[in-house]
Amino acid sequence: MADFALTEQRLAVTCRRYPDFPRRLATLVRLIKHIHKQLHDEANLALKPYGINHPEYNLLMMLYGSANGTMSPSELADAAGEKSANITRLTNELCDKGLIDRSGSADDRRKIELSLTPQGEALLKNLLPDICALLARQGHHLTVSEQVQLEKLLKKFLGGLAD
Amino acid sequence: MADFALTEQRLAVTCRRYPDFPRRLATLVRLIKHIHKQLHDEANLALKPYGINHPEYNLLMMLYGSANGTMSPSELADAAGEKSANITRLTNELCDKGLIDRSGSADDRRKIELSLTPQGEALLKNLLPDICALLARQGHHLTVSEQVQLEKLLKKFLGGLAD
DNA sequence: TCTAAATAGTACATTTATATATTATATATA
DNA sequence: TATATATAATATATAAATGTACTATTTAGA
């Protein structure tokens, strides 16, 4: 892991050179970046044996968690935090792999409905034990109450970003 | 902003379908992803008028915060969380823009030393007020004590990811 | 000293992501 | 109804990031 102490050292130098620099907030931003990168890399590694990568897994899980089993490309884009143009490519690949299905919507013919195929569901059921284990391992340093607290603070942080 | 409530709804469905799914940790991971994306996008937007993007800004700030004003490409890669091959491209561009300087190291001729040019420093001093304002705005929902608490928890979380 | 292994950086090919423009359909309003 | 505007999805071109292989130099060990 990239030692975060070095980052803090750099922030100290930065504040010495530019005293107005908001050190605490900058620290938070860099922590988020480091954590995100680490989570992304570890997920990719865990998913490789199953032939998909992290963004693809995310799309599958969005569908798995949808209320009625289908989502439009733009809903998927919003849910997964991907640009809609990227969704076209990713869903193409997932279709090619036989993991999801495309079909035109009846009530709005501009829309497309995406859904998991039986193979897609089977793949998820296959890999979820590994992913659950990964998540458990990634969080094992935190007590439940710390997780709750962290969730609360992150939600508040995210809430403030919209304005 | 993508409403996080929808994400929570999807997680609820997921847990109903797959009860072993570690909902709390998955929530944390998705929060980190959402926040990271938002921070990244907002930074890019703020930096656009200055002719650089977020990754380029990060590299400049790593150099700005370095102890002696120089870093090697691999140190930069480590600090900024970029792959070394990507650093070559990014530093090429920053050189072309006249914002950083490349020079061979005297004691190890495999190494390259990168440093900010006067123009690079000037650009940073120019844009830092905007960036500081952005950071302040992004964190304005959090009290100082919440920021401290969040930093503590994120550090603990990051620490557990290395193992 | 000589050779093998390790390290630093980059070039090139490939993959992944984004921005912009285009097509088709739906909605609102004159 | 007719026309303008908005929305959904994608195609295409461009940009950004990654993986792999390669060169040059240094370090370690026979």
Side-chain angles (χ1 to χ4, degrees):
Chain A
M1 180 191 66
D3 194 349
F4 198 72
L6 291 174
T7 295
E8 298 209 276
Q9 214 171 295
R10 277 187 294 272
L11 282 169
V13 172
T14 298
C15 291
R16 206 151 57 235
R17 298 186 65 185
Y18 195 92
D20 281 349
F21 197 68
R23 181 181 186 153
R24 199 156 1 245
L25 288 167
T27 304
L28 289 178
V29 169
R30 296 199 189 180
L31 275 166
I32 293 283
K33 183 168 159 45
H34 279 243
I35 291 170
H36 176 264
K37 178 178 150 50
Q38 192 77 17
L39 293 173
H40 181 69
D41 290 351
E42 291 185 8
N44 268 324
L45 209 65
L47 291 164
K48 194 159 214 169
Y50 299 97
I52 60 173
N53 60 25
H54 196 199
E56 290 172 325
Y57 163 79
N58 278 329
L59 297 195
L60 296 178
M61 285 303 283
M62 297 302 133
L63 286 171
Y64 189 75
S66 70
N68 66 354
T70 77
M71 295 177 84
S72 70
S74 41
E75 283 173 327
L76 248 192
D78 195 49
E82 301 279 351
K83 300 291 190 301
S84 71
N86 204 24
I87 290 293
T88 300
R89 177 182 61 87
L90 288 166
T91 54
N92 277 342
E93 291 170 7
L94 291 172
C95 278
D96 291 349
K97 291 178 185 171
L99 301 174
I100 68 172
D101 222 38
R102 256 201 183 91
S103 69
S105 164
D107 53 303
D108 185 339
R109 293 196 318 190
R110 292 170 305 181
K111 279 191 187 166
I112 293 284
E113 282 177 356
L114 302 162
S115 57
L116 289 172
T117 61
Q119 296 97 297
E121 295 233 13
L123 177 68
L124 281 182
K125 293 217 163 98
N126 226 299
L127 62 77
L128 273 173
D130 269 5
I131 290 297
C132 293
L134 174 66
L135 285 168
R137 187 162 56 70
Q138 288 172 331
H140 82 289
H141 266 52
L142 300 174
T143 66
V144 169
S145 108
E146 284 172 331
Q147 291 175 28
V148 170
Q149 181 67 8
L150 181 52
E151 179 179 327
K152 203 178 113 197
L153 290 167
L154 287 175
K155 274 183 188 163
K156 195 163 182 187
F157 190 21
L158 179 60
L161 292 179
D163 323 340
Chain B
M1 180 190 67
D3 195 349
F4 198 72
L6 291 175
T7 295
E8 298 208 278
Q9 215 171 296
R10 276 187 296 270
L11 283 168
V13 172
T14 298
C15 290
R16 206 149 57 234
R17 299 186 64 186
Y18 194 93
D20 281 350
F21 197 66
R23 179 181 187 154
R24 197 152 8 241
L25 289 166
T27 304
L28 288 178
V29 168
R30 296 199 189 179
L31 276 166
I32 293 282
K33 183 168 161 43
H34 278 244
I35 292 171
H36 177 264
K37 177 179 151 50
Q38 191 77 17
L39 293 173
H40 181 69
D41 289 351
E42 291 185 8
N44 268 326
L45 208 66
L47 290 164
K48 195 158 212 169
Y50 299 98
I52 60 174
N53 58 26
H54 196 199
E56 290 173 324
Y57 163 80
N58 278 330
L59 296 195
L60 297 178
M61 285 304 282
M62 297 301 134
L63 286 171
Y64 190 76
S66 70
N68 65 355
T70 77
M71 295 176 87
S72 69
S74 40
E75 283 172 328
L76 249 191
D78 195 49
E82 302 279 351
K83 298 292 191 303
S84 71
N86 205 25
I87 289 294
T88 299
R89 178 182 60 87
L90 288 166
T91 54
N92 277 342
E93 291 170 6
L94 291 172
C95 277
D96 291 350
K97 292 179 185 172
L99 300 174
I100 67 172
D101 222 38
R102 255 203 184 91
S103 68
S105 163
D107 52 303
D108 185 338
R109 293 196 315 191
R110 290 172 304 183
K111 279 191 186 165
I112 294 284
E113 281 176 355
L114 302 163
S115 57
L116 289 171
T117 60
Q119 296 97 298
E121 295 233 12
L123 176 68
L124 281 182
K125 294 220 162 95
N126 226 298
L127 61 77
L128 273 173
D130 269 6
I131 292 296
C132 293
L134 174 65
L135 285 167
R137 186 162 56 71
Q138 289 172 330
H140 83 288
H141 266 51
L142 299 174
T143 67
V144 169
S145 107
E146 285 171 331
Q147 291 175 28
V148 170
Q149 182 66 8
L150 181 51
E151 179 179 327
K152 203 178 114 196
L153 290 168
L154 287 175
K155 275 184 188 164
K156 196 163 181 187
F157 190 20
L158 179 60
L161 292 179
D163 322 343

